[in-house]
Amino acid sequence: MNKPIVVGITGGSGSGKTLFMKELMKLLPDSTLHSMDNYYIDKEHQPKDKRGIENFDTPQSIDEAKFTSDLTQLIAGESIELKEYTYNNDRENQNPRFIKVESKPVILVEGIFVFHMKGVRDLLDLKLYIEAPDYLMMKRRIIRDAKERGYDLEDVLYRYEHHVTPAYKKYIEPSRDCADLIIPNHENFDVALKVITAFLNP
C-alpha cells in the first residue's frame, strides 16, 4: 500500500469540525478516522482549575505521546485498537467499548490540538481549519453538551468562559496560521466538501 494521505482537521469547540469530518468520510469510502477525543487521560489525572474543576481544554488533558504513536502506526499501514472515549459518562465508563481503527488510503486526524502539537502537525499532508463566529460556536457547544453529554447549563457556561475560550485564544486560534485551507462554517461547508473530496478521491 502506498503511504496514506494524512488530513488534519481542527477548529474551535463548536466550529463544526466533527460534522465536517463525518460528511467528508461519507464521501471518502477509503478513509479512516483518528480522533483526539479518544485520547483524553483519565478524569482523576486531568488538570484542574483554581476551583478544582477538571479542565479538558488544555493540551495536557490529552495523551499526546499515545496519539502520535498510534498515528505513526496507522501511517505505516498498521491497525490500532483503543478504548472509545465516553465524555466522562460514569454509566458508560463501566462498560467501555473498544474500537479498532484500520489504516486506509486517507487518514482523517481530528481534534482541537492537532495543529498545536508539533509532533502531530509534522505528520499531516493537508491541514484544514474550520472557522465559525464566536456566538455560533457557543450556541452549538451549549446545545451539544446538554443534549449529547448531559451537562447542565451552568456547568457549560462556566467551562466555556474559563476553559474553552482561554484555550481557543491561546492554542487553537493561533494554529490557524498553520492551515493550508481555512473553511468558513457560518451556514454550511458544502462547497469546501466538494473541493476537498475532488482532491482526495483517486
Side-chain angles (χ1 to χ4, degrees), residues 28-65:
L28 297 171
D30 282 333
S31 64
T32 196
L33 171 64
H34 187 51
S35 175
M36 191 167 278
D37 281 353
N38 291 316
Y39 290 82
Y40 281 99
I41 62 176
D42 292 339
K43 185 176 181 179
E44 58 266 27
H45 299 301
Q46 285 289 341
K48 294 180 172 61
D49 65 17
K50 294 178 181 179
R51 289 179 54 181
I53 297 174
E54 293 88 359
N55 185 352
F56 297 94
D57 289 278
T58 72
Q60 292 73 35
S61 68
I62 301 291
D63 188 342
E64 180 179 351

PDB file of all heavy atoms in Angstrom, residues 28-65:
ATOM      1  N   LEU A  28     -15.726   9.805   1.212  1.00  0.00           N
ATOM      2  CA  LEU A  28     -14.436   9.144   1.022  1.00  0.00           C
ATOM      3  C   LEU A  28     -14.488   7.745   1.643  1.00  0.00           C
ATOM      4  O   LEU A  28     -14.073   7.540   2.786  1.00  0.00           O
ATOM      5  CB  LEU A  28     -13.312   9.959   1.675  1.00  0.00           C
ATOM      6  CG  LEU A  28     -13.057  11.366   1.120  1.00  0.00           C
ATOM      7  CD1 LEU A  28     -12.080  12.110   2.014  1.00  0.00           C
ATOM      8  CD2 LEU A  28     -12.522  11.283  -0.311  1.00  0.00           C
ATOM      9  N   PRO A  29     -14.990   6.764   0.913  1.00  0.00           N
ATOM     10  CA  PRO A  29     -15.145   5.419   1.491  1.00  0.00           C
ATOM     11  C   PRO A  29     -13.817   4.776   1.901  1.00  0.00           C
ATOM     12  O   PRO A  29     -13.814   3.893   2.763  1.00  0.00           O
ATOM     13  CB  PRO A  29     -15.818   4.631   0.366  1.00  0.00           C
ATOM     14  CG  PRO A  29     -15.570   5.422  -0.883  1.00  0.00           C
ATOM     15  CD  PRO A  29     -15.493   6.846  -0.465  1.00  0.00           C
ATOM     16  N   ASP A  30     -12.720   5.213   1.294  1.00  0.00           N
ATOM     17  CA  ASP A  30     -11.416   4.648   1.656  1.00  0.00           C
ATOM     18  C   ASP A  30     -10.695   5.529   2.674  1.00  0.00           C
ATOM     19  O   ASP A  30      -9.482   5.749   2.585  1.00  0.00           O
ATOM     20  CB  ASP A  30     -10.535   4.478   0.408  1.00  0.00           C
ATOM     21  CG  ASP A  30     -10.939   3.258  -0.399  1.00  0.00           C
ATOM     22  OD1 ASP A  30     -11.480   2.304   0.199  1.00  0.00           O
ATOM     23  OD2 ASP A  30     -10.716   3.252  -1.620  1.00  0.00           O
ATOM     24  N   SER A  31     -11.443   6.046   3.654  1.00  0.00           N
ATOM     25  CA  SER A  31     -10.844   6.889   4.691  1.00  0.00           C
ATOM     26  C   SER A  31     -11.077   6.270   6.055  1.00  0.00           C
ATOM     27  O   SER A  31     -11.986   5.466   6.257  1.00  0.00           O
ATOM     28  CB  SER A  31     -11.431   8.300   4.653  1.00  0.00           C
ATOM     29  OG  SER A  31     -12.817   8.278   4.964  1.00  0.00           O
ATOM     30  N   THR A  32     -10.251   6.654   7.006  1.00  0.00           N
ATOM     31  CA  THR A  32     -10.397   6.220   8.390  1.00  0.00           C
ATOM     32  C   THR A  32     -10.202   7.422   9.299  1.00  0.00           C
ATOM     33  O   THR A  32      -9.599   8.424   8.892  1.00  0.00           O
ATOM     34  CB  THR A  32      -9.392   5.101   8.727  1.00  0.00           C
ATOM     35  OG1 THR A  32      -9.776   4.452   9.932  1.00  0.00           O
ATOM     36  CG2 THR A  32      -7.969   5.646   8.887  1.00  0.00           C
ATOM     37  N   LEU A  33     -10.724   7.333  10.522  1.00  0.00           N
ATOM     38  CA  LEU A  33     -10.675   8.466  11.448  1.00  0.00           C
ATOM     39  C   LEU A  33      -9.746   8.190  12.620  1.00  0.00           C
ATOM     40  O   LEU A  33      -9.833   7.137  13.262  1.00  0.00           O
ATOM     41  CB  LEU A  33     -12.080   8.765  11.981  1.00  0.00           C
ATOM     42  CG  LEU A  33     -12.168   9.788  13.121  1.00  0.00           C
ATOM     43  CD1 LEU A  33     -11.693  11.163  12.651  1.00  0.00           C
ATOM     44  CD2 LEU A  33     -13.589   9.869  13.665  1.00  0.00           C
ATOM     45  N   HIS A  34      -8.883   9.145  12.895  1.00  0.00           N
ATOM     46  CA  HIS A  34      -8.040   9.124  14.094  1.00  0.00           C
ATOM     47  C   HIS A  34      -8.423  10.362  14.907  1.00  0.00           C
ATOM     48  O   HIS A  34      -7.984  11.472  14.613  1.00  0.00           O
ATOM     49  CB  HIS A  34      -6.564   9.154  13.696  1.00  0.00           C
ATOM     50  CG  HIS A  34      -5.619   8.964  14.832  1.00  0.00           C
ATOM     51  ND1 HIS A  34      -5.718   7.926  15.733  1.00  0.00           N
ATOM     52  CD2 HIS A  34      -4.524   9.691  15.222  1.00  0.00           C
ATOM     53  CE1 HIS A  34      -4.742   8.000  16.616  1.00  0.00           C
ATOM     54  NE2 HIS A  34      -4.010   9.070  16.336  1.00  0.00           N
ATOM     55  N   SER A  35      -9.295  10.161  15.912  1.00  0.00           N
ATOM     56  CA  SER A  35      -9.859  11.285  16.659  1.00  0.00           C
ATOM     57  C   SER A  35      -9.148  11.499  17.982  1.00  0.00           C
ATOM     58  O   SER A  35      -8.970  10.569  18.769  1.00  0.00           O
ATOM     59  CB  SER A  35     -11.349  11.041  16.920  1.00  0.00           C
ATOM     60  OG  SER A  35     -11.871  12.062  17.742  1.00  0.00           O
ATOM     61  N   MET A  36      -8.804  12.754  18.250  1.00  0.00           N
ATOM     62  CA  MET A  36      -8.152  13.097  19.504  1.00  0.00           C
ATOM     63  C   MET A  36      -9.079  12.906  20.692  1.00  0.00           C
ATOM     64  O   MET A  36      -8.629  12.738  21.829  1.00  0.00           O
ATOM     65  CB  MET A  36      -7.647  14.544  19.419  1.00  0.00           C
ATOM     66  CG  MET A  36      -6.727  14.968  20.542  1.00  0.00           C
ATOM     67  SD  MET A  36      -5.860  16.532  20.190  1.00  0.00           S
ATOM     68  CE  MET A  36      -4.508  15.946  19.163  1.00  0.00           C
ATOM     69  N   ASP A  37     -10.397  12.883  20.456  1.00  0.00           N
ATOM     70  CA  ASP A  37     -11.359  12.689  21.541  1.00  0.00           C
ATOM     71  C   ASP A  37     -11.125  11.376  22.291  1.00  0.00           C
ATOM     72  O   ASP A  37     -11.484  11.261  23.463  1.00  0.00           O
ATOM     73  CB  ASP A  37     -12.792  12.698  21.002  1.00  0.00           C
ATOM     74  CG  ASP A  37     -13.303  14.107  20.741  1.00  0.00           C
ATOM     75  OD1 ASP A  37     -12.596  15.067  21.105  1.00  0.00           O
ATOM     76  OD2 ASP A  37     -14.405  14.242  20.173  1.00  0.00           O
ATOM     77  N   ASN A  38     -10.559  10.394  21.620  1.00  0.00           N
ATOM     78  CA  ASN A  38     -10.336   9.089  22.247  1.00  0.00           C
ATOM     79  C   ASN A  38      -9.042   9.022  23.067  1.00  0.00           C
ATOM     80  O   ASN A  38      -8.701   7.944  23.564  1.00  0.00           O
ATOM     81  CB  ASN A  38     -10.317   7.993  21.184  1.00  0.00           C
ATOM     82  CG  ASN A  38     -11.679   7.771  20.567  1.00  0.00           C
ATOM     83  OD1 ASN A  38     -12.687   7.720  21.257  1.00  0.00           O
ATOM     84  ND2 ASN A  38     -11.721   7.668  19.241  1.00  0.00           N
ATOM     85  N   TYR A  39      -8.357  10.158  23.218  1.00  0.00           N
ATOM     86  CA  TYR A  39      -7.061  10.145  23.895  1.00  0.00           C
ATOM     87  C   TYR A  39      -7.009  11.056  25.118  1.00  0.00           C
ATOM     88  O   TYR A  39      -5.920  11.417  25.574  1.00  0.00           O
ATOM     89  CB  TYR A  39      -5.953  10.516  22.903  1.00  0.00           C
ATOM     90  CG  TYR A  39      -5.729   9.420  21.891  1.00  0.00           C
ATOM     91  CD1 TYR A  39      -6.545   9.303  20.772  1.00  0.00           C
ATOM     92  CD2 TYR A  39      -4.731   8.462  22.071  1.00  0.00           C
ATOM     93  CE1 TYR A  39      -6.371   8.281  19.850  1.00  0.00           C
ATOM     94  CE2 TYR A  39      -4.540   7.446  21.158  1.00  0.00           C
ATOM     95  CZ  TYR A  39      -5.360   7.355  20.049  1.00  0.00           C
ATOM     96  OH  TYR A  39      -5.181   6.326  19.144  1.00  0.00           O
ATOM     97  N   TYR A  40      -8.181  11.398  25.673  1.00  0.00           N
ATOM     98  CA  TYR A  40      -8.177  12.122  26.942  1.00  0.00           C
ATOM     99  C   TYR A  40      -7.645  11.207  28.043  1.00  0.00           C
ATOM    100  O   TYR A  40      -7.997  10.031  28.100  1.00  0.00           O
ATOM    101  CB  TYR A  40      -9.592  12.581  27.310  1.00  0.00           C
ATOM    102  CG  TYR A  40     -10.046  13.807  26.565  1.00  0.00           C
ATOM    103  CD1 TYR A  40     -10.867  13.712  25.450  1.00  0.00           C
ATOM    104  CD2 TYR A  40      -9.643  15.079  26.977  1.00  0.00           C
ATOM    105  CE1 TYR A  40     -11.280  14.841  24.757  1.00  0.00           C
ATOM    106  CE2 TYR A  40     -10.047  16.204  26.296  1.00  0.00           C
ATOM    107  CZ  TYR A  40     -10.864  16.080  25.189  1.00  0.00           C
ATOM    108  OH  TYR A  40     -11.264  17.204  24.498  1.00  0.00           O
ATOM    109  N   ILE A  41      -6.800  11.763  28.898  1.00  0.00           N
ATOM    110  CA  ILE A  41      -6.320  10.973  30.025  1.00  0.00           C
ATOM    111  C   ILE A  41      -7.451  10.782  31.028  1.00  0.00           C
ATOM    112  O   ILE A  41      -8.459  11.470  30.962  1.00  0.00           O
ATOM    113  CB  ILE A  41      -5.087  11.629  30.700  1.00  0.00           C
ATOM    114  CG1 ILE A  41      -5.441  13.003  31.269  1.00  0.00           C
ATOM    115  CG2 ILE A  41      -3.929  11.738  29.714  1.00  0.00           C
ATOM    116  CD1 ILE A  41      -4.293  13.659  32.034  1.00  0.00           C
ATOM    117  N   ASP A  42      -7.297   9.842  31.956  1.00  0.00           N
ATOM    118  CA  ASP A  42      -8.355   9.545  32.917  1.00  0.00           C
ATOM    119  C   ASP A  42      -8.743  10.798  33.700  1.00  0.00           C
ATOM    120  O   ASP A  42      -7.896  11.647  33.997  1.00  0.00           O
ATOM    121  CB  ASP A  42      -7.907   8.456  33.882  1.00  0.00           C
ATOM    122  CG  ASP A  42      -7.747   7.109  33.196  1.00  0.00           C
ATOM    123  OD1 ASP A  42      -8.341   6.927  32.113  1.00  0.00           O
ATOM    124  OD2 ASP A  42      -7.014   6.257  33.730  1.00  0.00           O
ATOM    125  N   LYS A  43     -10.018  10.870  34.056  1.00  0.00           N
ATOM    126  CA  LYS A  43     -10.571  12.050  34.709  1.00  0.00           C
ATOM    127  C   LYS A  43      -9.798  12.429  35.972  1.00  0.00           C
ATOM    128  O   LYS A  43      -9.554  13.605  36.239  1.00  0.00           O
ATOM    129  CB  LYS A  43     -12.042  11.801  35.051  1.00  0.00           C
ATOM    130  CG  LYS A  43     -12.762  13.011  35.629  1.00  0.00           C
ATOM    131  CD  LYS A  43     -14.244  12.707  35.854  1.00  0.00           C
ATOM    132  CE  LYS A  43     -14.976  13.921  36.408  1.00  0.00           C
ATOM    133  NZ  LYS A  43     -16.421  13.636  36.615  1.00  0.00           N
ATOM    134  N   GLU A  44      -9.402  11.428  36.754  1.00  0.00           N
ATOM    135  CA  GLU A  44      -8.711  11.716  38.020  1.00  0.00           C
ATOM    136  C   GLU A  44      -7.330  12.331  37.814  1.00  0.00           C
ATOM    137  O   GLU A  44      -6.744  12.894  38.731  1.00  0.00           O
ATOM    138  CB  GLU A  44      -8.616  10.459  38.876  1.00  0.00           C
ATOM    139  CG  GLU A  44      -7.902   9.297  38.232  1.00  0.00           C
ATOM    140  CD  GLU A  44      -8.846   8.338  37.531  1.00  0.00           C
ATOM    141  OE1 GLU A  44      -9.935   8.783  37.093  1.00  0.00           O
ATOM    142  OE2 GLU A  44      -8.507   7.151  37.408  1.00  0.00           O
ATOM    143  N   HIS A  45      -6.802  12.226  36.604  1.00  0.00           N
ATOM    144  CA  HIS A  45      -5.478  12.781  36.316  1.00  0.00           C
ATOM    145  C   HIS A  45      -5.554  14.066  35.480  1.00  0.00           C
ATOM    146  O   HIS A  45      -4.510  14.609  35.103  1.00  0.00           O
ATOM    147  CB  HIS A  45      -4.621  11.748  35.595  1.00  0.00           C
ATOM    148  CG  HIS A  45      -4.387  10.490  36.385  1.00  0.00           C
ATOM    149  ND1 HIS A  45      -3.783  10.499  37.623  1.00  0.00           N
ATOM    150  CD2 HIS A  45      -4.699   9.200  36.116  1.00  0.00           C
ATOM    151  CE1 HIS A  45      -3.721   9.257  38.086  1.00  0.00           C
ATOM    152  NE2 HIS A  45      -4.272   8.446  37.197  1.00  0.00           N
ATOM    153  N   GLN A  46      -6.767  14.530  35.221  1.00  0.00           N
ATOM    154  CA  GLN A  46      -6.916  15.743  34.420  1.00  0.00           C
ATOM    155  C   GLN A  46      -6.443  16.972  35.202  1.00  0.00           C
ATOM    156  O   GLN A  46      -6.618  17.044  36.424  1.00  0.00           O
ATOM    157  CB  GLN A  46      -8.388  15.935  34.030  1.00  0.00           C
ATOM    158  CG  GLN A  46      -8.876  15.009  32.937  1.00  0.00           C
ATOM    159  CD  GLN A  46      -8.288  15.343  31.582  1.00  0.00           C
ATOM    160  OE1 GLN A  46      -7.784  16.452  31.353  1.00  0.00           O
ATOM    161  NE2 GLN A  46      -8.342  14.394  30.673  1.00  0.00           N
ATOM    162  N   PRO A  47      -5.849  17.952  34.504  1.00  0.00           N
ATOM    163  CA  PRO A  47      -5.506  19.211  35.184  1.00  0.00           C
ATOM    164  C   PRO A  47      -6.760  19.892  35.699  1.00  0.00           C
ATOM    165  O   PRO A  47      -7.830  19.775  35.104  1.00  0.00           O
ATOM    166  CB  PRO A  47      -4.821  20.034  34.080  1.00  0.00           C
ATOM    167  CG  PRO A  47      -5.274  19.414  32.789  1.00  0.00           C
ATOM    168  CD  PRO A  47      -5.501  17.963  33.070  1.00  0.00           C
ATOM    169  N   LYS A  48      -6.627  20.613  36.814  1.00  0.00           N
ATOM    170  CA  LYS A  48      -7.778  21.287  37.429  1.00  0.00           C
ATOM    171  C   LYS A  48      -7.551  22.793  37.483  1.00  0.00           C
ATOM    172  O   LYS A  48      -6.413  23.259  37.558  1.00  0.00           O
ATOM    173  CB  LYS A  48      -8.020  20.747  38.843  1.00  0.00           C
ATOM    174  CG  LYS A  48      -8.459  19.278  38.887  1.00  0.00           C
ATOM    175  CD  LYS A  48      -8.677  18.833  40.328  1.00  0.00           C
ATOM    176  CE  LYS A  48      -9.300  17.445  40.397  1.00  0.00           C
ATOM    177  NZ  LYS A  48      -8.466  16.406  39.775  1.00  0.00           N
ATOM    178  N   ASP A  49      -8.646  23.548  37.450  1.00  0.00           N
ATOM    179  CA  ASP A  49      -8.538  24.988  37.559  1.00  0.00           C
ATOM    180  C   ASP A  49      -8.523  25.405  39.029  1.00  0.00           C
ATOM    181  O   ASP A  49      -8.454  24.562  39.926  1.00  0.00           O
ATOM    182  CB  ASP A  49      -9.673  25.684  36.775  1.00  0.00           C
ATOM    183  CG  ASP A  49     -11.065  25.399  37.348  1.00  0.00           C
ATOM    184  OD1 ASP A  49     -11.164  24.938  38.511  1.00  0.00           O
ATOM    185  OD2 ASP A  49     -12.064  25.646  36.643  1.00  0.00           O
ATOM    186  N   LYS A  50      -8.592  26.710  39.284  1.00  0.00           N
ATOM    187  CA  LYS A  50      -8.475  27.216  40.657  1.00  0.00           C
ATOM    188  C   LYS A  50      -9.628  26.767  41.556  1.00  0.00           C
ATOM    189  O   LYS A  50      -9.489  26.753  42.781  1.00  0.00           O
ATOM    190  CB  LYS A  50      -8.394  28.747  40.636  1.00  0.00           C
ATOM    191  CG  LYS A  50      -7.119  29.277  39.973  1.00  0.00           C
ATOM    192  CD  LYS A  50      -7.100  30.795  39.938  1.00  0.00           C
ATOM    193  CE  LYS A  50      -5.840  31.312  39.264  1.00  0.00           C
ATOM    194  NZ  LYS A  50      -5.818  32.804  39.194  1.00  0.00           N
ATOM    195  N   ARG A  51     -10.735  26.411  40.964  1.00  0.00           N
ATOM    196  CA  ARG A  51     -11.876  25.932  41.735  1.00  0.00           C
ATOM    197  C   ARG A  51     -11.870  24.408  41.893  1.00  0.00           C
ATOM    198  O   ARG A  51     -12.794  23.832  42.454  1.00  0.00           O
ATOM    199  CB  ARG A  51     -13.185  26.370  41.069  1.00  0.00           C
ATOM    200  CG  ARG A  51     -13.452  27.873  41.199  1.00  0.00           C
ATOM    201  CD  ARG A  51     -14.753  28.273  40.515  1.00  0.00           C
ATOM    202  NE  ARG A  51     -15.905  27.502  40.976  1.00  0.00           N
ATOM    203  CZ  ARG A  51     -17.142  27.660  40.503  1.00  0.00           C
ATOM    204  NH1 ARG A  51     -17.375  28.565  39.559  1.00  0.00           N
ATOM    205  NH2 ARG A  51     -18.139  26.927  40.959  1.00  0.00           N
ATOM    206  N   GLY A  52     -10.826  23.781  41.385  1.00  0.00           N
ATOM    207  CA  GLY A  52     -10.723  22.333  41.495  1.00  0.00           C
ATOM    208  C   GLY A  52     -11.557  21.588  40.472  1.00  0.00           C
ATOM    209  O   GLY A  52     -11.809  20.382  40.624  1.00  0.00           O
ATOM    210  N   ILE A  53     -11.962  22.261  39.393  1.00  0.00           N
ATOM    211  CA  ILE A  53     -12.770  21.650  38.341  1.00  0.00           C
ATOM    212  C   ILE A  53     -11.863  21.180  37.213  1.00  0.00           C
ATOM    213  O   ILE A  53     -10.977  21.919  36.757  1.00  0.00           O
ATOM    214  CB  ILE A  53     -13.813  22.648  37.811  1.00  0.00           C
ATOM    215  CG1 ILE A  53     -14.784  23.021  38.932  1.00  0.00           C
ATOM    216  CG2 ILE A  53     -14.571  22.071  36.621  1.00  0.00           C
ATOM    217  CD1 ILE A  53     -15.765  24.112  38.561  1.00  0.00           C
ATOM    218  N   GLU A  54     -12.077  19.941  36.769  1.00  0.00           N
ATOM    219  CA  GLU A  54     -11.249  19.386  35.696  1.00  0.00           C
ATOM    220  C   GLU A  54     -11.345  20.244  34.441  1.00  0.00           C
ATOM    221  O   GLU A  54     -12.428  20.646  34.027  1.00  0.00           O
ATOM    222  CB  GLU A  54     -11.682  17.952  35.362  1.00  0.00           C
ATOM    223  CG  GLU A  54     -11.442  16.934  36.456  1.00  0.00           C
ATOM    224  CD  GLU A  54     -12.613  16.847  37.425  1.00  0.00           C
ATOM    225  OE1 GLU A  54     -13.594  17.614  37.236  1.00  0.00           O
ATOM    226  OE2 GLU A  54     -12.552  16.027  38.361  1.00  0.00           O
ATOM    227  N   ASN A  55     -10.186  20.503  33.855  1.00  0.00           N
ATOM    228  CA  ASN A  55     -10.127  21.304  32.633  1.00  0.00           C
ATOM    229  C   ASN A  55      -9.703  20.399  31.475  1.00  0.00           C
ATOM    230  O   ASN A  55      -8.548  20.020  31.357  1.00  0.00           O
ATOM    231  CB  ASN A  55      -9.133  22.450  32.809  1.00  0.00           C
ATOM    232  CG  ASN A  55      -9.118  23.388  31.610  1.00  0.00           C
ATOM    233  OD1 ASN A  55      -9.740  23.115  30.587  1.00  0.00           O
ATOM    234  ND2 ASN A  55      -8.398  24.485  31.728  1.00  0.00           N
ATOM    235  N   PHE A  56     -10.672  20.070  30.626  1.00  0.00           N
ATOM    236  CA  PHE A  56     -10.416  19.181  29.500  1.00  0.00           C
ATOM    237  C   PHE A  56      -9.989  19.949  28.255  1.00  0.00           C
ATOM    238  O   PHE A  56      -9.892  19.354  27.178  1.00  0.00           O
ATOM    239  CB  PHE A  56     -11.672  18.357  29.189  1.00  0.00           C
ATOM    240  CG  PHE A  56     -12.095  17.452  30.315  1.00  0.00           C
ATOM    241  CD1 PHE A  56     -13.035  17.871  31.246  1.00  0.00           C
ATOM    242  CD2 PHE A  56     -11.537  16.196  30.460  1.00  0.00           C
ATOM    243  CE1 PHE A  56     -13.426  17.049  32.294  1.00  0.00           C
ATOM    244  CE2 PHE A  56     -11.912  15.362  31.500  1.00  0.00           C
ATOM    245  CZ  PHE A  56     -12.856  15.786  32.423  1.00  0.00           C
ATOM    246  N   ASP A  57      -9.750  21.252  28.399  1.00  0.00           N
ATOM    247  CA  ASP A  57      -9.423  22.090  27.247  1.00  0.00           C
ATOM    248  C   ASP A  57      -7.995  22.600  27.291  1.00  0.00           C
ATOM    249  O   ASP A  57      -7.724  23.759  26.974  1.00  0.00           O
ATOM    250  CB  ASP A  57     -10.422  23.248  27.152  1.00  0.00           C
ATOM    251  CG  ASP A  57     -11.796  22.792  26.727  1.00  0.00           C
ATOM    252  OD1 ASP A  57     -12.016  22.626  25.515  1.00  0.00           O
ATOM    253  OD2 ASP A  57     -12.645  22.559  27.610  1.00  0.00           O
ATOM    254  N   THR A  58      -7.074  21.740  27.691  1.00  0.00           N
ATOM    255  CA  THR A  58      -5.651  22.063  27.631  1.00  0.00           C
ATOM    256  C   THR A  58      -4.938  20.922  26.927  1.00  0.00           C
ATOM    257  O   THR A  58      -5.409  19.775  26.954  1.00  0.00           O
ATOM    258  CB  THR A  58      -5.037  22.244  29.039  1.00  0.00           C
ATOM    259  OG1 THR A  58      -4.935  20.955  29.667  1.00  0.00           O
ATOM    260  CG2 THR A  58      -5.885  23.161  29.902  1.00  0.00           C
ATOM    261  N   PRO A  59      -3.804  21.185  26.301  1.00  0.00           N
ATOM    262  CA  PRO A  59      -3.052  20.088  25.671  1.00  0.00           C
ATOM    263  C   PRO A  59      -2.663  18.995  26.669  1.00  0.00           C
ATOM    264  O   PRO A  59      -2.529  17.827  26.299  1.00  0.00           O
ATOM    265  CB  PRO A  59      -1.807  20.800  25.120  1.00  0.00           C
ATOM    266  CG  PRO A  59      -2.240  22.212  24.922  1.00  0.00           C
ATOM    267  CD  PRO A  59      -3.200  22.499  26.039  1.00  0.00           C
ATOM    268  N   GLN A  60      -2.516  19.373  27.949  1.00  0.00           N
ATOM    269  CA  GLN A  60      -2.139  18.404  28.978  1.00  0.00           C
ATOM    270  C   GLN A  60      -3.256  17.407  29.280  1.00  0.00           C
ATOM    271  O   GLN A  60      -3.032  16.388  29.936  1.00  0.00           O
ATOM    272  CB  GLN A  60      -1.736  19.123  30.263  1.00  0.00           C
ATOM    273  CG  GLN A  60      -0.450  19.921  30.171  1.00  0.00           C
ATOM    274  CD  GLN A  60      -0.602  21.202  29.350  1.00  0.00           C
ATOM    275  OE1 GLN A  60      -1.658  21.847  29.374  1.00  0.00           O
ATOM    276  NE2 GLN A  60       0.454  21.568  28.629  1.00  0.00           N
ATOM    277  N   SER A  61      -4.470  17.693  28.797  1.00  0.00           N
ATOM    278  CA  SER A  61      -5.586  16.771  29.027  1.00  0.00           C
ATOM    279  C   SER A  61      -5.557  15.592  28.062  1.00  0.00           C
ATOM    280  O   SER A  61      -6.306  14.634  28.223  1.00  0.00           O
ATOM    281  CB  SER A  61      -6.927  17.506  28.899  1.00  0.00           C
ATOM    282  OG  SER A  61      -7.151  17.909  27.567  1.00  0.00           O
ATOM    283  N   ILE A  62      -4.672  15.655  27.073  1.00  0.00           N
ATOM    284  CA  ILE A  62      -4.568  14.633  26.022  1.00  0.00           C
ATOM    285  C   ILE A  62      -3.300  13.809  26.198  1.00  0.00           C
ATOM    286  O   ILE A  62      -2.242  14.343  26.536  1.00  0.00           O
ATOM    287  CB  ILE A  62      -4.539  15.303  24.632  1.00  0.00           C
ATOM    288  CG1 ILE A  62      -5.804  16.153  24.399  1.00  0.00           C
ATOM    289  CG2 ILE A  62      -4.365  14.268  23.521  1.00  0.00           C
ATOM    290  CD1 ILE A  62      -7.073  15.375  24.257  1.00  0.00           C
ATOM    291  N   ASP A  63      -3.387  12.523  25.949  1.00  0.00           N
ATOM    292  CA  ASP A  63      -2.198  11.663  25.920  1.00  0.00           C
ATOM    293  C   ASP A  63      -1.536  11.849  24.555  1.00  0.00           C
ATOM    294  O   ASP A  63      -1.744  11.062  23.621  1.00  0.00           O
ATOM    295  CB  ASP A  63      -2.597  10.202  26.147  1.00  0.00           C
ATOM    296  CG  ASP A  63      -1.391   9.281  26.326  1.00  0.00           C
ATOM    297  OD1 ASP A  63      -0.270   9.686  25.944  1.00  0.00           O
ATOM    298  OD2 ASP A  63      -1.571   8.161  26.835  1.00  0.00           O
ATOM    299  N   GLU A  64      -0.742  12.905  24.464  1.00  0.00           N
ATOM    300  CA  GLU A  64      -0.137  13.285  23.181  1.00  0.00           C
ATOM    301  C   GLU A  64       0.794  12.211  22.641  1.00  0.00           C
ATOM    302  O   GLU A  64       0.798  11.919  21.434  1.00  0.00           O
ATOM    303  CB  GLU A  64       0.621  14.606  23.339  1.00  0.00           C
ATOM    304  CG  GLU A  64       1.287  15.090  22.071  1.00  0.00           C
ATOM    305  CD  GLU A  64       2.015  16.409  22.256  1.00  0.00           C
ATOM    306  OE1 GLU A  64       1.858  17.040  23.321  1.00  0.00           O
ATOM    307  OE2 GLU A  64       2.735  16.813  21.323  1.00  0.00           O
ATOM    308  N   ALA A  65       1.589  11.602  23.513  1.00  0.00           N
ATOM    309  CA  ALA A  65       2.544  10.591  23.067  1.00  0.00           C
ATOM    310  C   ALA A  65       1.830   9.399  22.434  1.00  0.00           C
ATOM    311  O   ALA A  65       2.241   8.897  21.373  1.00  0.00           O
ATOM    312  CB  ALA A  65       3.408  10.136  24.243  1.00  0.00           C
TER     313      ALA A  65
END
